[in-house]
Amino acid sequence: MGRVVEVEAVRAERLINNNDGDGDRAKTARYQRGRPSPPTCPCIFGKGMTSYVTIKINNKKIASTSHECDRVWNQTLQILCAHPLDSTITITLKTKCFVLGRIHVEAQQILDKATLINGFFPLCMENGKPNTEMKLRLMLWFKPAELEPSWGQLLDNGGFHGLKSATFPQRSNCSVTMYQDTHHCSTFQPPFNLCGPPRRLWEDVYKAIEGAKHLIYIAGWSFNPKMVLVRDSQTVIPHARGVKLGELLKRKAEEGVAVRIMIWDDETSLPIIKNKGVMRTCGEDAFAYFKHTKVVCRLCPRLHHKFPTLFTHHQKTITVDTRRCFSSSNREITSFVGGVDLCDGRYDTEQHSLFRTLNTESHSQDFYQINLAGASLHKGGPREPWHDAHACITGEAAWDVLKNFEQRWIKQCDPSLLVPVSALKELTCETIPSSIPSDSDWKVQVFRSINHVSASNLQKNLTVERSIHDAYVEAIRRAERFIYIENQYFIGGCHLWEKDQHCGCSNLIPIEIALKVVNKIKAKERFAVYILIPMWPEGALDSESVQDILHWTRETMKMMYRLIGDAIQEIGEAGHPKDYLNFFCLANREEVGKGEFVPSHSPHPGTQYWNAQKHRRFMVYVHSKLMIGSANINQRSMDGQRDTEIAIGCYQTKNGEHKICNGDIHAYRMLLWYEHTGQAKEFFQEPQKLGCVQHVCSIGDQMWKIYCGDEVIDMEGVHLVTYPLTIREDGYVEDDVEGGGFFPDTKARAVIGRKANNIMERWFALPSPFLPRRGVCSTVSATTSAHYILL
């Protein structure tokens, strides 16, 4: 257990029916390390009947070919594995109605006897007897993860050329701007000169939309046209203050700009409940707002053959044409991508205030709090602070985001409403080298979780794309010194849990992180992992869905710490699992301020709302996903056939060298840490060192005590708190949690969570364990000489 097992290349040729007499063989599917790209399998019976091949590991389906009638599969399936050594690989030949036979391969056989299995293999029928008339030609290749070069080694040997399993290739000469939160106050001035002036995402979005001449394409999970983007009195665009987003878009449409908005259609949003819907995405309201205007707004359900109402379109992108730098006439495509929807509650700054902004332009018209029953502005705070991440890109990668929008629009909307961008002569895709500084040569690749039901023109023979999951695993396996993750959820690797191994939370990201740490421990090399998640998932803390997620999150943590604890004991040296892996969350606590908003009503005494208001504290909701993108670390976002997601992975090279520079990505992490800790220590430059780990943990421990204490003490802008876990030296996670397992001001055993008891409840925890889903997924993986970020 704990060993990484990979199938790198399996070539399956369609079986030969000895009674055919035609001697045809299917040139079939090759499987490489990465993830399954859907292949094709020909039919073996009569004309018109299709057949296909599936691959399972321990009865969990992980790959499938497409259905073919010509007996030829000419495909490559890429499969990432991180499974126990006693696993069994099952390759099955099927038609729609029949199982034609199986081949079983023991994982130990690949490790001990051969890394390559190649040839004709007889198929076993359902009764266990061999099918003498059928054989399957296949090639199965195992490649250990340890053989993968690190980022530094990869760059020293000619560079990283991108993930092959993605639809879009890696692009060069792009420009990337990274944002944390939607707005930075002018007072946010880190004591180091890394990233220039404060960054203001929504102000940049306003300027991009206002300057568009040809197209404005917006895809979102949620969208509120009544939102005001610019709210700062010190803005550089004062004419934009107070302007509603919908009014700006209608004005641009009147000017002749093609404004196309594609919002996920929550089919539970019904007039009888005032169009609120289960997830409160405001889709029906947005559609009505733009009715009878020149803005084309479409509601698009996430089509699914089994659960048509459970999954979502979760991408958040904005694509516009903008004036090209250093040119008065040429224009280029600019795309925003990340975790921030254009809707309620997303506007926030690095201060993450609970009470002090309720009578200001920032939040007096945008009070957002869905975790506390009955919360409203007239009853007072705390509001729900929101931490997120986003990016703006130009260059060919921005065009890939545009193509993703077009592919989705063509699949579910009227293609004739799209702008034929190829006919716009002033809009060019080519990058002008002189327009990009030599020290900012960004390599960018767009990743997705999507399938053919949601997008047209996927790669040949590809029905499902899971490149976001593959990109995470790739980044983790190549990391040398540390991994830093921010994510709204952190669940996966259920096949290595102590129980519920078949619950469906099978993405490999948590296991890969744990195995990376294990390998570093055995090699006696320093390595550190910092993971930032919300204190609890958004929603009522005592609800079944939230309790499910907390339960599965804890199971994931227990699995990771157990593997790390075993590795420390195996090498026989002193150490603790928290020397290598730590979980954190964000929170705030404020003393009463001068001139603060005074509500006209009060929450009901004794409720969580009343307690949070009395004790002046609440969590900061972590919605960021550093990739940057929309994908959460859960099965919904990684599966490809559930929620649609988009993300980017990128790095910088310097002066044309095959070497990643410690530029904007390094600065971005330092800015995030400065926002969370209020510090910019020199040893933050080397986060893998034990001294840095211990210092960050000490900050988290200190702030957790302040947050939980009976006395109201202002946290003074330091938001990082330790996630409440008790870890023993052997990696065992104690069930006896400090405070009885309750988060402050709550009455639910929130830290531990609980598993749902019936089928209707378990859909959250099993096939798709997450209900309130929005945000950004952040993974920053860095090496001694390399920084790579997934956004």
Side-chain angles (χ1 to χ4, degrees):
M1 177 140 353
R3 176 80 185 271
V4 178
V5 179
E6 295 183 349
V7 177
E8 174 152 311
V10 172
R11 178 172 179 175
E13 292 189 356
R14 85 133 280 201
L15 69 107
I16 298 177
N17 186 332
N18 290 336
N19 294 329
D20 276 286
D22 59 9
D24 280 352
R25 280 190 300 194
K27 302 172 180 178
T28 145
R30 194 177 301 153
Y31 302 72
Q32 290 182 344
R33 166 180 193 205
R35 73 160 163 90
S37 306
T40 18
C41 223
C43 155
I44 56 164
F45 288 130
K47 293 182 178 179
M49 181 177 288
T50 62
S51 60
Y52 62 101
V53 172
T54 65
I55 297 183
K56 293 183 177 181
I57 298 181
N58 293 340
N59 293 320
K60 167 64 179 176
K61 180 180 173 182
I62 56 174
S64 176
T65 69
S66 59
H67 299 232
E68 297 293 336
C69 291
D70 60 1
R71 304 180 180 181
V72 174
W73 314 268
N74 199 9
Q75 303 169 19
T76 297
L77 290 181
Q78 300 177 329
I79 300 172
L80 290 171
C81 306
H83 292 72
L85 299 182
D86 59 357
S87 298
T88 299
I89 302 167
T90 302
I91 301 164
T92 306
L93 181 64
K94 314 171 84 171
T95 67
K96 185 176 182 179
C97 302
F98 302 102
V99 173
L100 305 176
R102 294 185 174 92
I103 300 170
H104 300 285
V105 180
E106 300 299 326
Q108 196 70 53
Q109 175 186 350
I110 304 174
L111 296 176
D112 295 344
K113 298 180 180 179
T115 58
L116 177 64
I117 294 178
N118 184 16
F120 280 96
F121 296 89
L123 294 167
C124 291
M125 296 186 295
E126 291 286 84
N127 59 12
K129 295 181 179 180
N131 188 331
T132 58
E133 296 184 348
M134 296 184 189
K135 291 183 178 180
L136 189 66
R137 173 100 167 90
L138 65 87
M139 180 192 302
L140 184 145
W141 183 18
F142 165 73
K143 183 180 178 183
E146 292 85 351
L147 299 182
E148 293 287 351
S150 68
W151 289 115
Q153 293 168 339
L154 203 62
L155 270 294
D156 289 340
N157 289 282
F160 177 61
H161 301 295
L163 196 68
K164 294 181 180 179
S165 61
T167 297
F168 303 111
Q170 180 174 278
R171 307 295 191 179
S172 299
N173 297 323
C174 296
S175 173
V176 179
T177 301
M178 293 172 288
Y179 302 89
Q180 60 198 82
D181 309 313
T182 52
H183 192 77
H184 275 172
C185 299
S186 56
T187 54
F188 185 65
Q189 297 290 343
F192 44 79
N193 184 22
L194 288 176
C195 286
R199 291 177 176 171
R200 297 170 172 178
L201 169 63
W202 276 9
E203 290 192 8
D204 288 352
V205 167
Y206 187 100
K207 288 186 284 187
I209 291 175
E210 186 177 45
K213 289 181 61 179
H214 300 292
L215 62 91
I216 300 168
Y217 290 170
I218 299 173
W221 176 84
S222 177
F223 183 88
N224 184 354
K226 298 179 182 179
M227 293 306 301
V228 173
L229 297 181
V230 181
R231 312 181 190 183
D232 192 334
S233 60
Q234 299 182 18
T235 179
V236 296
I237 46 173
H239 67 277
R241 284 181 65 189
V243 177
K244 294 179 180 179
L245 173 60
E247 297 307 305
L248 172 63
L249 293 173
K250 287 194 288 187
R251 171 159 55 87
K252 296 306 295 185
E254 289 292 335
E255 294 174 4
V257 179
V259 181
R260 308 291 181 256
I261 304 173
M262 188 165 44
I263 312 169
W264 170 58
D265 183 10
D266 180 357
E267 296 185 4
T268 67
S269 180
L270 303 171
I272 195 172
I273 53 174
K274 298 182 179 180
N275 294 331
K276 292 290 185 183
V278 171
M279 304 211 191
R280 308 182 188 185
T281 54
C282 306
E284 294 290 344
D285 292 338
F287 180 77
Y289 184 93
F290 290 116
K291 197 172 183 179
H292 307 305
T293 74
K294 292 185 178 180
V295 174
V296 181
C297 178
R298 295 290 181 264
L299 302 181
C300 299
R302 173 64 175 99
L303 303 177
H304 191 280
H305 66 291
K306 290 184 178 179
F307 305 104
T309 63
L310 296 188
F311 303 117
T312 76
H313 289 304
H314 198 235
Q315 297 179 347
K316 305 112 170 27
T317 65
I318 304 169
T319 297
V320 301
D321 67 290
T322 58
R323 185 176 66 85
R324 183 183 287 276
C325 293
F326 313 115
S327 173
S328 59
S329 57
N330 290 334
R331 302 186 69 76
E332 63 184 353
I333 291 295
T334 295
S335 291
F336 294 85
V337 60
V340 182
D341 274 298
L342 297 169
C343 65
D344 313 55
R346 301 312 188 261
Y347 186 92
D348 209 349
T349 72
E350 73 286 348
Q351 297 174 355
H352 299 303
S353 179
L354 304 175
F355 301 93
R356 294 171 182 166
T357 59
L358 297 184
N359 57 356
T360 70
E361 193 172 355
S362 295
H363 296 118
S364 61
Q365 302 298 317
D366 184 15
F367 179 86
Y368 182 84
Q369 174 57 273
I370 68 171
N371 303 273
L372 304 176
S376 63
L377 181 62
H378 73 274
K379 292 182 182 179
R383 58 174 288 271
E384 180 183 344
W386 196 270
H387 174 66
D388 224 318
H390 219 78
C392 175
I393 55 176
T394 61
E396 288 184 278
W399 283 79
D400 291 337
V401 177
L402 168 64
K403 291 173 187 174
N404 168 78
F405 182 95
E406 292 177 333
Q407 289 176 0
R408 284 190 52 203
W409 185 278
I410 289 170
K411 198 70 177 182
Q412 292 193 269
C413 307
D414 184 356
S416 68
L417 295 174
L418 293 173
V419 175
V421 291
S422 58
L424 302 175
K425 295 182 180 180
E426 62 180 317
L427 190 62
T428 58
C429 182
E430 295 78 15
T431 301
I432 302 174
S434 61
S435 68
I436 296 180
S438 60
D439 60 350
S440 299
D441 179 12
W442 283 89
K443 312 287 186 181
V444 181
Q445 188 170 16
V446 174
F447 305 121
R448 297 189 294 183
S449 293
I450 203 165
N451 65 1
H452 68 288
V453 177
S454 298
S456 63
N457 299 325
L458 295 184
Q459 292 185 53
K460 183 181 179 182
N461 297 324
L462 181 66
T463 58
V464 182
E465 180 177 348
R466 301 184 180 96
S467 57
I468 294 178
H469 176 265
D470 295 356
Y472 265 102
V473 174
E474 180 105 1
I476 293 164
R477 289 182 174 181
R478 298 190 189 281
E480 288 183 32
R481 296 191 300 142
F482 76 97
I483 294 171
Y484 175 61
I485 290 179
E486 295 186 3
N487 207 289
Q488 183 183 9
Y489 300 109
F490 194 80
I491 302 179
C494 64
H495 59 277
L496 292 187
W497 293 356
E498 291 179 345
K499 52 187 177 180
D500 302 315
Q501 292 93 341
H502 304 292
C503 74
C505 303
S506 57
N507 78 80
L508 298 180
I509 294 167
I511 294 179
E512 291 286 351
I513 292 172
L515 293 179
K516 166 61 72 171
V517 173
V518 166
N519 290 336
K520 290 292 186 178
I521 290 172
K522 292 180 178 179
K524 298 185 178 180
E525 299 176 7
R526 273 302 306 165
F527 196 86
V529 180
Y530 305 80
I531 299 175
L532 184 71
I533 58 177
M535 197 174 293
W536 69 82
E538 192 178 30
L541 190 52
D542 58 354
S543 67
E544 294 289 352
S545 60
V546 170
Q547 287 293 302
D548 280 341
I549 297 168
L550 285 166
H551 171 74
W552 300 127
T553 301
R554 188 174 179 83
E555 288 299 309
T556 301
M557 294 174 176
K558 288 166 64 176
M559 173 270 296
M560 297 175 73
Y561 277 118
R562 187 180 70 250
L563 292 174
I564 295 170
D566 289 346
I568 294 173
Q569 291 189 327
E570 183 179 330
I571 65 171
E573 295 186 0
H576 193 282
K578 292 191 70 175
D579 294 343
Y580 302 92
L581 170 66
N582 287 279
F583 289 87
F584 302 92
C585 44
L586 299 179
N588 198 8
R589 196 167 195 179
E590 294 177 338
E591 296 175 352
V592 178
K594 185 178 180 180
E596 192 175 284
F597 174 75
V598 178
S600 57
H601 297 77
S602 175
H604 193 277
T607 61
Q608 182 185 350
Y609 188 7
W610 185 84
N611 288 331
Q613 189 175 99
K614 174 185 175 182
H615 297 125
R616 309 274 304 180
R617 62 190 171 197
F618 202 73
M619 69 167 175
V620 176
Y621 195 66
V622 177
H623 193 249
S624 51
K625 291 117 180 125
L626 297 172
M627 288 195 104
I628 287 170
S630 60
N632 296 300
I633 298 180
N634 60 27
Q635 203 58 31
R636 290 183 69 130
S637 290
M638 298 298 159
D639 190 87
Q641 299 187 82
R642 298 180 182 182
D643 290 354
T644 58
E645 308 282 7
I646 191 168
I648 61 171
C650 49
Y651 67 93
Q652 284 174 290
T653 57
K654 188 173 183 179
N655 297 326
E657 301 175 6
H658 291 304
K659 193 172 185 180
I660 299 180
C661 64
N662 291 346
D664 289 354
I665 296 175
H666 169 73
Y668 186 61
R669 178 184 64 81
M670 292 291 286
L671 284 172
L672 286 166
W673 283 26
Y674 179 73
E675 175 184 333
H676 301 333
T677 69
Q679 299 180 13
K681 298 292 186 180
E682 183 66 27
F683 49 72
F684 283 3
Q685 308 273 356
E686 298 181 287
Q688 82 282 4
K689 290 193 173 181
L690 184 57
C692 182
V693 173
Q694 292 173 339
H695 183 78
V696 174
C697 287
S698 69
I699 295 173
D701 292 344
Q702 178 186 359
M703 300 315 296
W704 177 252
K705 290 179 180 178
I706 292 175
Y707 182 77
C708 295
D710 293 333
E711 182 184 358
V712 177
I713 300 176
D714 202 298
M715 293 176 68
E716 298 180 341
V718 180
H719 302 122
L720 188 77
V721 298
T722 301
Y723 194 88
L725 289 172
T726 303
I727 315 297
R728 297 193 321 209
E729 287 189 0
D730 62 358
Y732 183 81
V733 179
E734 298 275 10
D735 284 335
D736 183 18
V737 180
E738 183 180 355
F742 302 98
F743 287 120
D745 303 324
T746 70
K747 294 182 179 180
R749 277 185 64 81
V751 178
I752 296 176
R754 65 175 181 268
K755 189 167 57 175
N757 295 318
N758 62 60
I759 297 298
M760 286 306 293
E761 294 165 353
R762 286 182 66 83
W763 81 267
F764 296 105
L766 301 188
S768 53
F770 317 101
L771 173 58
R773 310 187 51 272
R774 300 160 229 147
V776 213
C777 205
S778 315
T779 299
V780 179
S781 147
T783 70
T784 309
S785 59
H787 287 74
Y788 185 86
I789 186 168
L790 298 173
L791 301 176

